[in-house]
Amino acid sequence: MVEEEVLKDLNPEQKEAVIYDNGPILIIAGAGTGKTTVITRRLAWLIISGRAKPDEILAVTFTEKAAGEMEERVDKLLPYGYVDLWISTFHSFCERILHDHAIDLGLPINFQLLNQAQQAMLVRQNFSRFNLDYYRPKGNPTRFIRELVKHFSRAKDELISPEEYLYYADSLKLNNDSGLSDELLDKEAMRIKEIAEAYHTYQQLLLENNALDFGDLIYYTIKLFRERPVILRQYQDKFKYILVDEFQDTNLAQYELLRILAQPKNNLTVVADDKQAIYRFRGAAYNNVLRFKEDYSEAKVIFLSLNYRSYQEILDLAYQFIQLNFQEDASAQFNFRHLLSGNLKATRGTGAQIEHLHFKTQEEEAIGVVKKILEIKEKDKGASWNDFAILVRANDQAEIFTQALRWQSLPHQFLASSGLYNKPVILDILAYLKLLDNYHESPALYRLLTSPIFNLKLKNEDLINLNYWANRKNQSLYEVMQKAAAIPGFSQEGLIEVQKFLNLIQKHTQLARSQNVGRVVFSFLEESGYLGLLSQAAERGQREAIEDITWLNQFFKKIEEFEIANQDKSVKNFNLNIETAIEAGDEGTMQFDLEEGPEAVKVMTVHGAKGLEFKYVFIVNLVDRRFPTIERREGIELPKDLIKEIIPIGDVHLQEERRLFYVAMTRAKNGLFFTSAEDYGGMRKKKLSRFLYELGLVKEETKISSTIKGLKVPIPIRSAGVEILSLTPPTKFSFSQFRAYEICPLQYKFAFILKIPVRGKHTFSYGQSMHNTLYQFFRRILDKNRTIQGQLVKQPETKSKLKINLSFNELLNIYETCWIDDWYLDRQHLEEYKALGKKSLKIFYDEIIKNPPQPKFLELDFNFKIGDYVIKGKMDRVDVLDDGTLEIIDYKTGESPLFDEKKKEYNLTSENKEQLLIYQMAGQFIFREKVSRLTYHYLDDGVKISFLGQPNELKLIEEKLIKIIKEIKNSSFLAKPSRMCQHCDFRGICEYRQI
């Protein structure tokens, strides 16, 4: 191909960028302006024009997929083959450099590259090496491993070495310019020193294990170039030109790598879009665009403003919206405005369809989106299902839309970049592997009994019986299954199925003792018959079977990676690796190829849609706290003094959310639809997203759209799951039930309707130990005061204070008697908790010696009615106050909430108050005396937080309880994934979980 053909069909700005000769060039390319075309044409032009050989050009981007696409385009442009074309991601480039020069830095020659899950596993396996206190809570010692690993990576993004971190930590003790008290400064210094030492230990562990993580790749490459100038010069001479795509998403370390490598020629071409910088949460330094212009003042700046994708109305609306970011003048101090691109001009003219659709409920919103898709498809005869995209802000918002599409039998794909471990077929395999390692994993066993992977023909009554006897006998499901023949009424068919299942478990248990996990998994799939069934269904073209086989193939790749990286390839070690991966936030990466995939409506996150385009785009769930989201800060933040990048001014999070929304809008070519609803399951109507107001799409009165007519509508749309129709909801309801349902209705179903046995928790053992101790303590005191009458402990008519006639040592003796030592991680963990209990009891005892209470009731069970519904519960303690009114007290094991210095109160949320507000409502029915105080007593630090519900609060609680009970009665068990999934007893068997 001659030079003229490479420049064919380019507009003047694109051509100017492609043929720019030498020196730095910044190409500001808006959405749909052909930036990938420009960078690939420039690469081809440099080669064809003879300015550089293929191996003298370095082109870098951010994903392997983007690098592959760039290489494919270059393949088509170049008229001949080439050798060693350097098109790669930043990490791949650095990995290649380090493999060639590891010895020059004293690194392992054949280093292993660890992902985030493997990093967490390394820390967990060597946890005793880390001298942690602040970041090793007794309740969950390994809780912060994930955040620590992320923090170390973030430090490397900022080119902070362990030595620099340690030096900074030590300097805090010498320098007190913060205005903090010496005590607070010492605590902060100790915390930072702990992190710095952990960072240093972590780096040592990596080297000892011949491993690097992804952050190390760039960090050590820069270190190599700085410490070995001869090697740096070798690569500077080699690469005559460097081209960078998506430059706005580079972090500080990546930019520094480019800056060093480009010297002294500085033939550096970067393509950026100031409005699409959406990866700050990954460490991207938005102001690198500015830094580039400051470092290369002579750089040519070219704006690409012709949009080849969208109608003008979409571009105008998006531009008007994103300008709000610059009204805050976030970058005024950097004179940034001259680098901002203006509005884009559509080459396709006008004709866009833009609407805001508002609905009553989230179910109707999902149905309404499907209805709109069908209407458009009917009118636009040239549109395929591939032309429609539903964009969600977060993965957990997609389920209800895929449900609605499924209900209408519309072809669809949920294109999540992660979530392999949540796929039903993979959850089945993981449950089986967990069972082979521990027969008493009842949730895993329950999932398998109800899974199509075995197709067991168990009657509902048999399954109910197994759960019933497991709970009644306090045994695991496996133990009960072994004795199924002794269960009254258990069917003969069920006994045959149970025995078949037990035989397979026993066979594979033996196999797992001698074979690698890959062999065990394949044998399981083959001998259960599931692999054959899938193959047959896939051959018949069944969509779900084809998808399941895709997930299986990707899962076997995970197993292969595990077996390559680990000497211990056992089922037990694989289970531990998966558990650690999940704890580290790894849900299992998934690969999609949109071009190979079937024609389908695409459901995906906005982040996942970047770089894609569709005729019609639906941006959904546009209500407060969903889009824009609430800012979630890093679990462990870097000290500001160590951060080297330029930190923007203004509300950085809101600005990024706007840029993300801009990305969503500019995916649309012909039609752009914004959707919202009033009811997403909470007590109050949801406020519309501020973005809808900023777009000018909210009128004085937003009308509710009609969605029902002409569609098959399931109301409510419910999550898939095992439905046992013979089971009925409870007749009495407790706060625990309300809370479980509010967190996730599906969790409620598992726990309170299906009653699946679960493993115990050490926190429950500890809490029960403390509650029992305090009950027995007061009972004995009151017994000595001769005021106990059965379960009700009544204080005499006199208002004299209770005489504390037991010593602290006697209290500790009661504690020893009441101690429950189940479910702790190990002996050390148990002893730490036991010591914590003694410390808490000392605080408690000292307080009541000074201020003896007047207990009226201990461990008081109660029932009361709201309308036709019965509410039950138990009050830990009810005291009589000096004025004769009552105080309801609830013990909490754990530390108190944070204290707000400004408000001079503890941060107790309305949700935290609900338990005691229900108790107050109960008190109105069951006590003659007035309840004047509600108190949470936090035992770990002795803090008491008191309040009293006002009539309007109690009314709201009553309405909320009635609403929840009605939903439970209607069997509305829609899964509600959230960050709370990590605490759920059933997360191992739930495909809707969020990790």
Side-chain angles (χ1 to χ4, degrees), residues 371-614:
K371 178 182 177 183
K372 195 68 180 179
I373 289 173
L374 289 170
E375 287 178 357
I376 295 171
K377 186 76 162 53
E378 181 65 25
K379 292 178 182 177
D380 186 350
K381 301 299 183 183
S384 74
W385 297 120
N386 285 334
D387 289 322
F388 297 90
I390 300 173
L391 303 186
V392 295
R393 176 61 182 85
N395 280 324
D396 58 14
Q397 297 167 10
E399 169 63 20
I400 198 164
F401 294 95
T402 58
Q403 288 272 22
L405 290 162
R406 189 178 301 121
W407 186 262
Q408 300 302 322
S409 299
L410 298 189
H412 62 277
Q413 281 182 298
F414 175 35
L415 302 179
S417 59
S418 64
L420 180 64
Y421 302 146
N422 290 344
K423 295 298 179 183
V425 64
I426 306 305
L427 274 174
D428 288 337
I429 296 172
L430 293 175
Y432 195 70
L433 293 176
K434 192 178 292 185
L435 194 61
L436 295 183
D437 188 37
N438 182 358
Y439 287 166
H440 303 295
E441 286 282 355
S442 293
L445 181 50
Y446 178 83
R447 179 178 179 88
L448 293 168
L449 291 177
T450 57
S451 166
I453 206 163
F454 285 105
N455 195 27
L456 296 177
K457 298 176 178 61
L458 279 177
K459 295 180 179 179
N460 287 342
E461 292 78 7
D462 291 337
L463 196 56
I464 293 168
N465 265 328
L466 289 174
N467 277 332
Y468 171 78
W469 287 102
N471 280 287
R472 178 168 176 175
K473 296 293 186 180
N474 196 25
Q475 294 178 336
S476 67
L477 273 179
Y478 182 83
E479 290 171 303
V480 173
M481 286 175 66
Q482 289 180 309
K483 306 168 187 175
I487 295 177
F490 206 88
S491 70
Q492 286 300 312
E493 297 88 347
L495 288 175
I496 294 171
E497 294 295 300
V498 165
Q499 192 56 52
K500 181 174 68 174
F501 183 80
L502 291 175
N503 290 342
L504 200 60
I505 291 176
Q506 291 164 6
K507 179 178 180 180
H508 288 138
T509 300
Q510 292 296 322
L511 189 67
R513 291 173 181 168
S514 59
Q515 298 295 329
N516 294 352
V517 62
R519 171 74 180 277
V520 175
V521 171
F522 188 82
S523 297
F524 158 58
L525 291 172
E526 191 174 47
E527 293 174 27
S528 67
Y530 191 61
L531 199 58
L533 289 173
L534 273 182
S535 300
Q536 293 171 16
E539 190 175 357
R540 293 193 298 269
Q542 288 188 9
R543 181 187 185 89
E544 289 187 2
I546 293 172
E547 288 183 349
D548 281 347
I549 288 177
T550 299
W551 309 140
L552 280 176
N553 286 330
Q554 294 191 25
F555 185 66
F556 271 111
K557 287 181 181 178
K558 298 287 185 186
I559 293 176
E560 183 180 349
E561 291 172 2
F562 163 80
E563 293 185 342
I564 290 172
N566 291 272
Q567 290 185 346
D568 180 359
K569 310 178 194 310
S570 66
V571 167
K572 186 179 189 68
N573 194 34
F574 182 75
N575 285 343
L576 182 58
N577 270 263
I578 291 292
E579 179 184 336
T580 304
I582 291 171
E583 288 177 358
D586 182 0
E587 300 179 54
T589 53
M590 298 191 298
Q591 303 297 325
F592 289 97
D593 191 327
L594 288 177
E595 295 182 2
E596 290 183 4
E599 182 184 331
V601 176
K602 311 302 181 192
V603 184
M604 64 178 71
T605 64
V606 182
H607 280 104
K610 187 176 180 182
L612 303 177
E613 58 182 41
F614 304 90

Side-chain angles (χ1 to χ4, degrees), residues 30-128:
T33 56
K35 61 185 178 64
T36 306
T37 296
V38 167
I39 202 166
T40 51
R41 294 281 187 100
R42 176 161 173 75
L43 195 157
W45 180 80
L46 289 171
I47 296 171
I48 291 173
S49 65
R51 285 166 173 78
K53 297 175 183 177
D55 64 340
E56 294 175 335
I57 302 172
L58 172 64
V60 290
T61 187
F62 283 84
T63 66
E64 296 291 350
K65 184 175 181 292
E69 290 174 352
M70 188 183 296
E71 191 165 341
E72 287 178 11
R73 291 201 186 195
V74 174
D75 285 343
K76 294 176 181 178
L77 290 171
L78 295 178
Y80 47 78
Y82 50 83
V83 177
D84 209 11
L85 184 62
W86 288 64
I87 299 179
S88 68
T89 65
F90 279 95
H91 291 109
S92 295
F93 168 73
C94 291
E95 185 176 7
R96 184 172 177 178
I97 298 293
L98 291 179
H99 272 302
D100 288 342
H101 300 283
I103 195 170
D104 295 294
L105 275 176
L107 297 176
I109 297 175
N110 296 316
F111 61 80
Q112 177 190 350
L113 188 59
L114 304 185
N115 58 31
Q116 192 175 83
Q118 292 167 324
Q119 293 171 254
M121 187 67 181
L122 180 66
V123 173
R124 183 170 180 167
Q125 290 173 334
N126 296 275
F127 202 55
S128 61

Side-chain angles (χ1 to χ4, degrees), residues 840 843-844 889-897 906-909 912-913 935-947:
S840 300
I843 296 172
F844 183 90
I889 299 167
D890 190 74
Y891 301 132
K892 296 293 182 187
T893 49
E895 294 183 349
S896 58
Y906 288 92
N907 291 322
L908 199 64
T909 66
N912 295 143
K913 292 181 178 180
T935 298
Y936 284 123
H937 189 155
Y938 292 87
L939 298 175
D940 279 13
D941 52 17
V943 169
K944 297 177 183 179
I945 303 178
S946 299
F947 57 95

